[in-house]
Amino acid sequence: MNTQNDKWSALTRKNTKHLAYWTAAWVLTMAVVAFGPKFVWNFNATVSVLFIVINTVIGAGMILANKRYLNGLDEMQRKLSLEAMAIALGVGVVGGLTYSMLDMTDILSYDAEISHLVILISVTYLIGIIIGNIRYK
């Protein structure tokens, strides 16, 4: 029994590390794409497209690592993650469209930015995971 739990724990740690590496690489390449044109390669379109393609490929790797991570979780952890993702998706769609409508109708004094939506979805997912863990303890 302990051997099986040890194997499962080792697999979960490995999947978590892989997901962290892929996520860090994706965030790093996102920063390169965001700041590189202005500070490094003087808006050279070829270099920008190259780094955007690299970012997209690494993003696909991150998605697959996340899928592998979820598949390696036990049923309870998978349920917590899926519930948090469902709430984050709903908040992202409803909140994102509401935010867009506020921008389109000039109620906002600034332009709506996709980064605000990403932050909203991330924080919602994090809160969902925390609440789920508290609820199922």
Side-chain angles (χ1 to χ4, degrees), residues 31-85:
V32 170
V33 170
F35 299 112
K38 183 176 181 182
F39 297 112
V40 180
W41 57 82
N42 197 25
F43 296 97
N44 181 315
T46 304
V47 176
S48 291
V49 169
L50 175 68
F51 277 102
I52 289 169
V53 169
I54 290 170
N55 176 257
T56 303
V57 169
I58 290 175
M62 182 183 70
I63 292 168
L64 293 175
N66 193 32
K67 183 178 179 291
R68 192 174 313 115
Y69 168 77
L70 286 173
N71 285 336
L73 295 175
D74 67 20
E75 286 183 38
M76 181 61 76
Q77 290 174 324
R78 192 175 306 139
K79 179 177 172 43
L80 291 175
S81 291
L82 291 177
E83 285 180 2
M85 286 181 191

Side-chain angles (χ1 to χ4, degrees), residues 51-126:
F51 277 102
I52 289 169
V53 169
I54 290 170
N55 176 257
T56 303
V57 169
I58 290 175
M62 182 183 70
I63 292 168
L64 293 175
N66 193 32
K67 183 178 179 291
R68 192 174 313 115
Y69 168 77
L70 286 173
N71 285 336
L73 295 175
D74 67 20
E75 286 183 38
M76 181 61 76
Q77 290 174 324
R78 192 175 306 139
K79 179 177 172 43
L80 291 175
S81 291
L82 291 177
E83 285 180 2
M85 286 181 191
I87 292 168
L89 174 66
V91 168
V93 170
V94 173
L97 291 174
T98 301
Y99 189 49
S100 177
M101 287 186 290
L102 289 170
D103 185 35
M104 289 177 8
T105 55
D106 289 329
I107 292 174
L108 295 176
S109 61
Y110 54 92
D111 289 332
E113 297 289 337
I114 190 70
S115 60
H116 300 152
L117 184 59
V118 171
I119 291 168
L120 175 67
I121 292 170
S122 300
V123 169
T124 302
Y125 176 73
L126 182 64

Side-chain angles (χ1 to χ4, degrees), residues 12-29:
T12 299
R13 270 194 304 275
K14 178 181 151 191
N15 288 340
T16 302
K17 283 182 183 176
H18 285 166
L19 178 58
Y21 295 147
W22 279 102
T23 303
W26 181 73
V27 170
L28 179 66
T29 58

Side-chain angles (χ1 to χ4, degrees), residues 122-137:
S122 300
V123 169
T124 302
Y125 176 73
L126 182 64
I127 291 171
I129 290 290
I130 291 169
I131 290 173
N133 277 308
I134 291 171
R135 191 170 37 158
Y136 289 111
K137 272 191 172 180

